[in-house]
Amino acid sequence: MGIKKFIKKVKSTLGLTDYEVESKKKALKDLLKKLNGRKKSIHKSLESDIKKKEKKELEEELEIVTCQIKKGKKILHDLYSNK
């Protein structure tokens, strides 16, 4: 997955509409920070007493966010190793 495609996908996942990119590395770091924040909020929501259907949806969202974090870290690592 390319960097631009990853950034576009994460922006849609996070619901960011007016997001400007200064550089690829900075954008990836910022998006990873927001994804980690989303992951923490999902964990907090899962700890609370919720319905089974909501819990399943949150677990699916957590899986997606975790996958995107892994992809983002890999892309960021590749950017730094290509200096």
Side-chain angles (χ1 to χ4, degrees), residues 13-30:
T13 300
L14 293 174
L16 302 173
T17 55
D18 57 345
Y19 188 77
E20 294 183 21
V21 178
E22 292 182 19
S23 70
K24 292 177 184 178
K25 291 178 187 176
K26 187 174 181 178
L28 278 173
K29 286 180 184 179
D30 189 39

Side-chain angles (χ1 to χ4, degrees), residues 20-57:
E20 294 183 21
V21 178
E22 292 182 19
S23 70
K24 292 177 184 178
K25 291 178 187 176
K26 187 174 181 178
L28 278 173
K29 286 180 184 179
D30 189 39
L31 289 174
L32 284 172
K33 185 177 177 182
K34 290 180 182 192
L35 281 170
N36 282 320
R38 174 71 66 92
K39 184 177 177 180
K40 287 179 184 178
S41 68
I42 293 171
H43 275 297
K44 286 181 183 179
S45 298
L46 284 172
E47 290 174 357
S48 65
D49 194 24
I50 55 175
K51 296 178 183 177
K52 190 174 183 178
K53 183 178 179 182
E54 292 175 3
K55 184 174 183 176
K56 185 176 179 180
E57 290 175 1

